[in-house]
Amino acid sequence: MIGKKALIRIENIVASASINQAISLQSIVKAFPTVEYRPTVFPGLVFRLKKPKTATLIFKTGKMVCTGAKSEKEARKALNKVVKKLRANGIAVFGKSSIEIQNIVASISLAGAIDLERAVYNLKRIMYEPEQFPGAIYRMASPKVVFLIFSTGKLVCVGAKKEAEVYEAVDKIQKMLEENNLLYYQS
């Protein structure tokens, strides 16, 4: 029995894409003076969008990494928009980019306190060293995600490749904490 509904918020989605061709970063800098490019510091350039609010790293190999999206759909939209803007400004981009979600980061509130000391003895695949870090690290096998669990009932979930995996994993961990009497709801 789930006591209260978990509050889940997608904080960041990291997606990668490849246009399967080399690309001139200098020509992008000329066409878009607002991009950030410091080749002595980092080999890629940063292409920021206001809508959706994202930052896309573009490398000369044609590989791109988008961060900051709040949904899978938004990440795909951002990468497609970057490619469209490059084409519209004379940057030769052929073919279609293949987009892959690499990581989803979500914050969760379970609206209750968690007994981390007891969790270590009741759960498998959990690490808790309060002298090193205030949260426990729990590695879920399926879906394959990692949780940072705090005694306040706040959690961070990383490693999911689909938003549905986040919701499934949160449901699973909440049930597991409740079944082991490790989650105490405030009335």
Side-chain angles (χ1 to χ4, degrees), residues 52-63:
K53 192 174 187 308
T54 56
T56 300
L57 303 174
I58 304 174
F59 300 92
K60 65 182 176 188
T61 59
K63 296 219 183 295

Side-chain angles (χ1 to χ4, degrees), residues 39-71:
T40 56
V41 180
F42 186 73
L45 63 77
V46 183
F47 195 110
R48 295 184 192 281
L49 291 176
K50 283 188 172 70
K51 253 184 157 178
K53 192 174 187 308
T54 56
T56 300
L57 303 174
I58 304 174
F59 300 92
K60 65 182 176 188
T61 59
K63 296 219 183 295
M64 296 185 274
V65 178
C66 174
T67 63
K70 303 292 186 197
S71 71

Side-chain angles (χ1 to χ4, degrees), residues 147-166:
F147 281 101
L148 297 179
I149 307 170
F150 299 93
S151 61
T152 58
K154 303 276 192 247
L155 288 77
V156 176
C157 177
V158 298
K161 305 270 190 216
K162 292 181 168 60
E163 289 175 61
E165 291 176 348
V166 173

Side-chain angles (χ1 to χ4, degrees), residues 7-175:
L7 185 71
I8 302 169
R9 201 168 97 199
I10 303 293
E11 300 291 347
N12 184 25
I13 294 190
V14 178
S16 65
S18 179
I19 53 173
N20 300 312
Q21 70 180 67
I23 192 162
S24 165
L25 298 183
Q26 289 300 339
S27 57
I28 296 173
V29 171
K30 283 185 188 119
F32 301 92
T34 58
V35 298
E36 297 163 35
Y37 183 48
R38 298 202 317 263
T40 56
V41 180
F42 186 73
L45 63 77
V46 183
F47 195 110
R48 295 184 192 281
L49 291 176
K50 283 188 172 70
K51 253 184 157 178
K53 192 174 187 308
T54 56
T56 300
L57 303 174
I58 304 174
F59 300 92
K60 65 182 176 188
T61 59
K63 296 219 183 295
M64 296 185 274
V65 178
C66 174
T67 63
K70 303 292 186 197
S71 71
E72 291 176 61
K73 186 179 176 184
E74 203 175 81
R76 292 179 201 288
K77 182 179 175 183
L79 282 163
N80 287 327
K81 190 171 180 179
V82 167
V83 169
K84 197 181 270 185
K85 280 182 172 258
L86 292 175
R87 283 188 182 126
N89 283 275
I91 312 297
V93 177
F94 313 104
K96 200 166 159 36
S97 61
S98 56
I99 299 169
E100 209 177 300
I101 303 298
Q102 298 297 330
N103 185 25
I104 298 176
V105 179
S107 62
I108 301 102
S109 176
L110 295 180
I114 299 170
D115 188 336
L116 294 180
E117 297 287 337
R118 281 188 46 235
V120 176
Y121 298 103
N122 287 281
L123 306 177
K124 292 177 175 76
R125 305 168 65 93
I126 192 165
M127 271 177 37
Y128 180 52
E129 295 180 37
E131 305 80 28
Q132 304 292 319
F133 184 70
I137 300 166
Y138 175 72
R139 296 177 190 286
M140 187 173 278
S142 177
K144 194 173 176 183
V145 298
V146 176
F147 281 101
L148 297 179
I149 307 170
F150 299 93
S151 61
T152 58
K154 303 276 192 247
L155 288 77
V156 176
C157 177
V158 298
K161 305 270 190 216
K162 292 181 168 60
E163 289 175 61
E165 291 176 348
V166 173
Y167 293 95
E168 179 189 340
V170 170
D171 190 47
K172 228 170 149 176
I173 197 165
Q174 186 172 10
K175 281 182 179 142

